[in-house]
Every structure is written in C-alpha cells, then in structure tokens.
Amino acid sequence: MNTEATLGQYYQTDSVIHRLDPRVKLVGTLLYMISLFIFNNIFCYAIAAVFLIVVIILCRVPLTHMLKGLRPILILMLFTVIFNIFFTPGEYLWQFGILHISKEGIKTAILILIRLTLLIISASIMTLTTTPNRLTDGLEKLFAPLKLIKVPVHEMAMMMSIALRFIPILMEETDKILKAQTARGAGFDSKKLTTRIKSLIPVIVPLFISAFRRASDLALAMEARCYHGGEGRTKLYPLKYAARDILSYVFMGIYIISLTAVGIINAKISLVNAIADIVSK
Amino acid sequence: MPIITDHLTYVYGAKSKSKKTALDDVSVKIEDGQFIGLIGHTGSGKTTFLQLLAGLIKPFSGTVYLDGEDIFAKDYDMKTLRGKLGIVFQYPEHQLFEETVFKDVCFGPKNLGLDEKEVQLRAYEALKLTGFEDDNFYRSPFELSGGQKRRAAIAGVLAMKPKILILDEPTAGLDPGGKKEILDLVKSLCKNQGITIILVSHSMEDMAEYADRILVMNDAKIVLDGTPTEVFSHYDELKGYGLNVPQVTLAMLQLRECGIPVRTDAITVEQAKKEILRVLR
Ligand SMILES: Nc1ncnc2c1ncn2[C@@H]1O[C@H](COP(=O)(O)OP(=O)(O)OP(=O)(O)O)[C@@H](O)[C@H]1O
Ligand SMILES: [Mg+2]
C-alpha cells in the first residue's frame, strides 16, 4: 500500500500552530481563503504570502513534507496555468491558429498560480497541524448554534470522525483482500477496461461486506456503552480559548485590515491611472 | 519443490521515519513433503515471512528460490508460482465473494486457465475433501456459519492443487472439533499427497502432534529450528520468547521436580503415558 505523505495528512510535532484551538484554525483558514478571492492583485498577494510564510515557519512542519503533499495537485495547477496563458484574449505577443499568448494571459496565469499555491498550502497547513478528531470537535462547536434549528450537529460530527477513523482500517483491509485474491491467481493489471473492472469484483464485494460488518459491530458496541446521541453529552477535553487563541484572532484582524487598506489604495491608484489615461486621450 | 530463502529481509516503511524490520536475514531450506510448524509470539514476523514465500510482497533484500528459480527475478512468471503454492490467510472467510460457494471455489482454478470441466471437477473434489456438506454447495457463502465459511475458503485454495500449502492460523476461532478436522485434513494432504505444509499456530500441543519440523520466530529472526522434540527441549529459551512447551511436557518437568525420575522429552499425551508407565513398572 502507498503510505507516502498524502495531501494534508496530520503531521505530528509540537508547535504553537498545533496547539491552537481548532476553531481558530478553521475560521482563520476560511478567512484567509476568502481574502485571496476578494483581493486579487499582486500587492495583496505579497502580504498574504508573507503572512503564510510566518505561519509555515511557526508550524514546524518541514517544507519538503508540505511540498511532497502538493505533488498530486501539480498537474491540475499546470493545466490551469497553460490554459490561462494560451486562451486569454488581450494584447497578443504571439499567435498560432487559435493559440495565442497575450500580456493579460501571462498576468492572470501568474496571479492564478500564486493564488492556487497559497490556497492549497493554507488548507493543508490546517489539516497538517490538526488531528481529524480535533477538527471535527472544532466543527461541532462552531456549528453548535445550528442545533437551535434542529440540525443534528453532534451526530454529523460523530459520523465524520468515525468515517475518518475507518479510512486506515479499510485501506488495510483492502490490502489484505488484494493479497488473498492475488494468491488465488486473480490478475489486476489487464489492459482491457472491462476485464479490469470485472477483476475488481473479488475485492470490492468482500470489502463492502467487511465494512458493513464493522459498522454494525461498532454500532452495537456504542449502544452497549449507552451512547444515545449528543443530548446531555459532555466532552473529556472541552474546547476552551486560551490567550494564544485570542492573540491569533487579533493577528487575523490585523491581517484583514492591512489587506483591505492595500486593496483600497491599489484600487484608487488604478482608478486615477484610468482617469489620467482617458484625460490624456 | 524445495523452498530456499536466502538472507531474506523485509522492512515496513523503509523510507519513512517509523521503520520496522519485520524479517531479518532469514535463510532456511524447506524440503518437499514436510509438515513445517511456524511458531512465534504476536508481531514476530510470521505473516510477513509467509507473504514473502508466496511472492505477495517484495523483499527489502535477499530472495526466495522455489524449485531453484528466483521468484523475485524480473523474468519470473508469477503464474507458475500461483499454481504451485497456495496460501490460506488468517480468517480466509473474509475473501469469499461469489453468489454461491461452488462458484467461489471455482475462482482459483479458473484463474489458472483450466477448462470448465476441470475447474468444476477440482472444485467438487476440494469441497468434498474439506468435508463440506453437499446441501450447502449452492448456497450463498454469506449465509453459512463461521466454520463452514472457513472450510469453503480453504477449499478455494485446495482447488488450485498446490504442491506447497501455507496456512496462517487456519484454526483461529474454531471449536475443538472443527479445529481437529482441519488439522487432520492438512496432515492427510501432507502424508497422502506429499504436499509440503507450512502452518502457523499458537497451540504448542497441535504443533507437537502434527509437525515434522518446527521453526521458532522471535523478533524477526528464526531462532530455533528442529524436530518438535528438539525444539520443545529448550524450555527456558522458549519462555524467553514468550512461548511455551506443550502442557504434558510441563507436567513431566514438574513430576521430575517432585523427584520422580521421568524423562522430560515427551511432547504428546501418548508419549507421556508410555514414559510414566515405564517408570512406574
Ligand atoms: N502493514 C504494515 N505496516 C507496518 N508495519 C507492519 C505491517 N504489518 C506488520 N507490521 C509489523 O511487522 C511486524 C511483524 O508483523 P507480522 O504480521 O508478520 O507478525 P505475526 O508474527 O504474523 O503476528 P501475529 O501472530 O499477531 O499474526 C510487527 O511488529 C508489525 O507491527
Ligand atoms: Mg500473523
């Protein structure tokens, strides 16, 4: 089985970012992503990049590990960039058939590349520094107000954490079944698509059956220990904001304000430029 | 078809931080027609060893020779291996997938490329051999009891008519009657058809009764190798590996401590009876 670093799998180490309340990280990541979409000019991206670099340094996850996780997305990024370079209309620098490179194309491609990189890294920092359990805890707490309108927040969070817990177990199970069927002479590397799909049946059927069996066992075990949903349930480690969490919110505020300021100034300058253009004409 | 392992080593997660050597420089020769018992405490590397013999995982270093051929060589055809060597995993019933037991047993021989008639003949033979009731041949494997499922799964491997049969704890979770039937079946395959057997078990009594030769694994290495009588004479050593000698041997050791001059090399009840009678006369 492939146990290489996958995108954003929890990386165990001790850092300020790891210790932050999951709610801070969730809200922070969301705000950060929104900010990237609202302020899409090079100056704002520079500020966003600086902010992210500080977080990367603070979270003490090796950069190589983080970049390894990005590898699967590389193709998607490359595709987006190429598409933007060749198909954005504007002032042409080079042309061949329907392909052309324009000044605007290059500009958008660069901006999109920066934005995608920042987005993906920021999202993966959240999952790299937070265990799935704490993440669901954070989500449950953040969405707790929805309980008032009868949304089963606790149950949804529980389902999510169980699902996450089951991923490695099912991977191991898949590995075992694959080996057992290989030993019985099953081939999984046929060139023909139909044979290949058919050859998966001996793996998928036992896998589903084992997943159902495990699910029903778990449900029984939970009931036997008097689990009855979220009502009146308390936490072993309740989430509480510490000083560092408050401080993080303050930093987030400063970041948003400075970004807004730069954004406004930038917009004004381009407005002035545009007016000057028109006037000079 | 002797099996020879040559400095066989296997490491889990070789590239990651959490390296685990599960098999360390193992060189053994397994002769034709022997009944080999493999014992060792949990995590000593037994399953890893068996999977290497079956060519299901690639060694870190060293190799396995079957019939004088290197099974991990680039040009070795794994199909030959699958026809010669069958492996029954721990809880083999988890690999059943077809609509009927009979169809499931046909899966292995079909993969060997035999014609329909031969496939059905072999499946029938194998099911008969494992003592599977005729009435259940066309039932869904998922409606059977645990013991019946186990038989069906073992039949699925036997139907491939291997010359070497590997079984990883085939009796785990069976009642004493079912356990004895399976072990008797395996023994008769070895005796009457000359099939080489490699069987993992945690029961010292079973090993004493059935095996011709016992390999003891501890911490990724083979530490003892010999006939059951030889191996079980190393009482203190086995204790150190978290294993034991059969109950009767233990009883004989205690009789000796009490001053009764019995020899302590009896490993089965029958041998112990003879020895005690000899002393009493
Ligand atoms: N997929 C895996 N990834 C990492 N380590 C593993 C993996 N499978 C087994 N190991 C480790 O390798 C060692 C040997 O495992 P193995 O399964 O061969 O033991 P075993 O002797 O069969 O034990 P048992 O009697 O419990 O079946 C163990 O320490 C185990 O933790
Ligand atoms: Mg094992």
Side-chain angles (χ1 to χ4, degrees):
Chain A
M1 272 279 112
N2 181 20
T3 46
E4 283 279 288
T6 41
L7 181 68
Q9 212 170 40
Y10 181 65
Y11 184 89
Q12 175 118 34
T13 170
D14 191 30
S15 80
V16 180
I17 307 287
H18 280 72
R19 269 174 278 146
L20 279 183
D21 190 291
R23 284 171 290 176
V24 175
K25 287 186 259 190
L26 278 164
V27 171
T29 312
L30 194 70
L31 278 181
Y32 188 80
M33 288 178 155
I34 293 174
S35 76
L36 289 179
F37 278 104
I38 296 180
F39 305 105
N40 50 357
N41 63 69
I42 199 82
F43 302 106
C44 291
Y45 283 172
I47 296 180
V50 170
F51 185 79
L52 195 66
I53 287 168
V54 173
V55 176
I56 290 175
I57 294 168
L58 282 177
C59 78
R60 293 173 60 185
V61 177
L63 196 64
T64 47
H65 185 87
M66 220 177 271
L67 295 179
K68 228 193 276 170
L70 287 183
R71 224 186 282 155
I73 311 224
L74 217 60
I75 295 179
L76 183 77
M77 283 167 80
L78 220 66
F79 194 74
T80 320
V81 167
I82 290 173
F83 203 79
N84 270 291
I85 288 183
F86 287 113
F87 295 103
T88 311
E91 195 180 312
Y92 295 159
L93 300 176
W94 175 86
Q95 201 166 7
F96 181 81
I98 53 159
L99 294 178
H100 48 250
I101 298 179
S102 68
K103 239 188 199 161
E104 287 77 4
I106 293 177
K107 213 175 119 192
T108 18
I110 291 174
L111 282 181
I112 282 182
L113 186 67
I114 296 176
R115 184 200 284 174
L116 272 178
T117 316
L118 294 180
L119 272 176
I120 292 163
I121 292 184
S122 65
S124 65
I125 283 180
M126 178 173 73
T127 49
L128 278 167
T129 62
T130 324
T131 59
N133 270 334
R134 276 178 60 84
L135 216 55
T136 36
D137 269 3
L139 278 172
E140 185 180 346
K141 196 87 185 233
L142 275 178
F143 286 108
L146 291 183
K147 277 183 198 157
L148 290 178
I149 53 164
K150 294 248 159 32
V151 177
V153 176
H154 166 77
E155 282 73 9
M156 282 161 79
M158 181 58 96
M159 265 156 52
M160 197 168 134
S161 57
I162 290 174
L164 287 169
R165 175 71 193 80
F166 264 53
I167 290 174
I169 296 179
L170 288 181
M171 297 244 295
E172 196 180 310
E173 193 86 20
T174 314
D175 184 48
K176 252 164 76 187
I177 297 170
L178 262 175
K179 277 181 186 156
Q181 306 298 28
T182 311
R184 292 170 79 191
F188 301 105
D189 39 12
S190 169
K191 291 243 156 46
K192 248 176 79 186
L193 192 66
T194 46
T195 4
R196 203 145 134 188
I197 291 171
K198 252 198 210 146
S199 74
L200 283 179
I201 293 173
V203 178
I204 288 175
V205 173
L207 193 63
F208 264 98
I209 285 166
S210 113
F212 283 130
R213 190 184 54 236
R214 279 176 198 282
S216 98
D217 285 355
L218 182 68
L220 272 177
M222 282 168 78
E223 252 181 81
R225 285 186 241 170
C226 303
Y227 177 80
H228 58 80
E231 210 172 314
R233 202 175 151 80
T234 53
K235 292 244 181 249
L236 183 56
Y237 302 108
L239 290 179
K240 274 207 201 89
Y241 281 129
R244 57 170 175 265
D245 299 314
I246 310 292
L247 204 64
S248 315
Y249 277 131
V250 172
F251 279 131
M252 253 179 258
I254 295 174
Y255 164 75
I256 297 288
I257 292 170
S258 52
L259 210 60
T260 317
V262 172
I264 291 173
I265 293 169
N266 189 54
K268 273 212 176 123
I269 291 173
S270 37
L271 196 69
V272 170
N273 278 349
I275 292 170
D277 256 12
I278 293 167
V279 169
S280 69
K281 269 178 196 164
Chain B
M1 245 175 264
I3 309 172
I4 299 172
T5 72
D6 177 26
H7 299 281
L8 200 58
T9 300
Y10 191 83
V11 183
Y12 282 107
K15 279 179 239 153
S16 71
K17 278 192 302 185
S18 54
K19 260 198 228 174
K20 169 85 203 167
T21 307
L23 204 67
D24 190 4
D25 196 30
V26 169
S27 302
V28 286
K29 179 168 184 193
I30 292 165
E31 302 288 355
D32 282 356
Q34 276 189 331
F35 192 125
I36 310 269
L38 185 61
I39 57 177
H41 72 91
T42 297
S44 54
K46 303 181 295 294
T47 301
T48 310
F49 181 53
L50 300 184
Q51 290 185 0
L52 281 165
L53 293 185
L56 293 170
I57 47 180
K58 291 235 175 327
F60 181 75
S61 67
T63 190
V64 177
Y65 294 97
L66 178 71
D67 252 351
E69 280 182 284
D70 181 351
I71 66 165
F72 295 110
K74 277 225 163 56
D75 54 352
Y76 186 80
D77 183 14
M78 274 291 168
K79 268 247 154 67
T80 359
L81 178 78
R82 305 272 168 253
K84 286 179 185 172
L85 185 148
I87 179 164
V88 176
F89 278 92
Q90 238 162 335
Y91 299 103
E93 55 273 26
H94 293 174
Q95 77 195 27
L96 299 170
F97 70 97
E98 278 286 10
E99 294 146 55
T100 68
V101 172
F102 194 77
K103 264 193 180 171
D104 201 282
V105 176
C106 287
F107 180 66
K110 214 185 261 166
N111 286 330
L112 291 180
L114 302 168
D115 65 72
E116 192 60 28
K117 227 178 186 155
E118 173 75 12
V119 167
Q120 295 199 353
L121 194 70
R122 281 187 173 201
Y124 182 77
E125 262 179 3
L127 280 168
K128 273 292 188 204
L129 212 54
T130 48
F132 203 81
E133 304 88 353
D134 290 26
D135 305 346
N136 292 338
F137 273 25
Y138 297 102
R139 279 176 69 186
S140 158
F142 306 111
E143 298 170 349
L144 304 174
S145 79
Q148 289 169 323
K149 276 189 212 169
R150 180 78 53 95
R151 272 166 223 267
I154 293 178
V157 176
L158 289 183
M160 297 174 76
K161 293 211 169 159
K163 289 276 163 294
I164 299 161
L165 182 61
I166 296 178
L167 303 107
D168 195 352
E169 291 185 52
T171 57
L174 291 185
D175 62 87
K179 197 165 137 179
K180 189 166 169 0
E181 276 175 34
I182 297 223
L183 287 174
D184 282 341
L185 164 69
V186 172
K187 184 81 194 176
S188 80
L189 288 173
C190 179
K191 259 218 175 112
N192 304 336
Q193 303 185 24
I195 297 177
T196 311
I197 305 286
I198 305 174
L199 183 137
V200 173
S201 170
H202 285 296
S203 158
M204 303 301 139
E205 285 74 27
D206 292 345
M207 283 300 172
E209 195 168 335
Y210 290 96
D212 299 323
R213 174 180 170 197
I214 293 183
L215 301 176
V216 181
M217 289 199 66
N218 183 53
D219 202 10
K221 284 192 170 70
I222 290 187
V223 284
L224 281 174
D225 176 359
T227 63
T229 314
E230 274 164 29
V231 166
F232 288 133
S233 65
H234 298 268
Y235 175 66
D236 292 323
E237 224 171 307
L238 286 172
K239 261 260 148 99
Y241 302 140
L243 298 168
N244 214 330
V245 294
Q247 294 285 318
V248 276
T249 316
L250 220 51
M252 297 301 267
L253 282 166
Q254 276 169 11
L255 281 177
R256 178 123 193 171
E257 251 172 56
C258 297
I260 302 169
V262 287
R263 282 175 32 197
T264 56
D265 59 357
I267 53 170
T268 61
V269 178
E270 200 53 38
Q271 289 169 4
K273 189 177 98 188
K274 269 191 201 145
E275 176 64 13
I276 292 173
L277 284 176
R278 188 187 64 83
V279 172
L280 288 182
R281 276 210 193 102

